[in-house]
Amino acid sequence: MTDHRALLDPMRWPRWLARDAERRKVLDPEALAAVDHAVREFPAAAFAVGMLPTPLPVEQVEKLPRGEVRDAPDGSRIRFRANLVPGETRGWLLGNGVVISMAQRAVRPRYVPVSRGDGVALRRDGILVRSAISGWEPIPAPVEVELDSGTQGLPEYLDRVLAARRPL
């Protein structure tokens, strides 16, 4: 269950985390403990319903040969190719900014710039990237998950993900 949409926009992660920091300030300690407990219990529950962890992807950036360098529509130079490859961290990409590692922690991608100057990388799916995923770092578990229809608490969201995978 890999949702690469969560990885495409590195600017969404700081916005999600900034809003999450504000939500954490108004919650009581019991609610925060319930969120942390849900994250710690998720790997065991995921295994129970047959959801196996996958290696969380990182991007390998390679320089293009001179003959393949070209201009992007926005005026920058496409000098690199970015390929998603399996990383060392294993976990579950659950979408909407929720990624849980085997270490029972919420994690987010760690981005590094593709290059200095105006160089950008082109992914196989045709998306231009200015920063690539170099690894995964632990973060406090998000309190709420943003959905198209509003927000939902993380424990309920994880229950929903698991319910969708349970055999009938």
Side-chain angles (χ1 to χ4, degrees):
M1 180 173 192
T2 301
D3 182 6
H4 293 289
R5 291 174 296 163
L7 307 175
L8 294 179
D9 185 4
M11 296 311 296
R12 289 184 81 177
W13 289 91
R15 288 194 307 255
W16 280 328
L17 296 177
R19 285 192 295 262
D20 190 64
E22 292 300 317
R23 290 179 185 130
R24 284 179 165 281
K25 291 177 184 176
V26 298
L27 284 180
D28 57 11
E30 293 84 25
L32 291 175
V35 168
D36 291 336
H37 179 74
V39 171
R40 281 194 313 273
E41 295 298 319
F42 180 80
F47 276 115
V49 297
M51 286 178 65
L52 300 178
T54 59
L56 299 177
V58 295
E59 289 178 306
Q60 288 182 341
V61 177
E62 57 189 40
K63 197 165 189 170
L64 291 172
R66 283 189 188 196
E68 293 182 32
V69 173
R70 60 188 182 274
D71 289 330
D74 65 357
S76 55
R77 299 283 291 168
I78 301 173
R79 299 176 192 267
F80 303 92
R81 180 179 302 120
N83 298 312
L84 283 175
V85 297
E88 295 178 8
T89 305
R90 295 180 66 84
W92 295 267
L93 286 164
L94 304 174
N96 298 75
V98 179
V99 183
I100 298 178
S101 73
M102 287 276 301
Q104 300 173 322
R105 299 286 315 261
V107 294
R108 73 169 181 171
R110 183 176 45 242
Y111 291 96
V112 295
V114 168
S115 74
R116 294 183 210 166
D118 66 344
V120 296
L122 182 66
R123 284 190 180 152
R124 289 191 187 273
D125 56 6
I127 294 177
L128 295 174
V129 293
R130 296 186 185 285
S131 49
I133 301 168
S134 65
W136 294 83
E137 61 188 4
I139 59 169
V143 174
E144 292 179 337
V145 178
E146 296 178 20
L147 305 172
D148 293 336
S149 60
T151 61
Q152 186 174 32
L154 181 67
E156 294 82 19
Y157 181 75
L158 295 178
D159 288 343
R160 188 172 123 183
V161 167
L162 292 169
R165 294 289 301 209
R166 283 194 178 96
L168 296 175

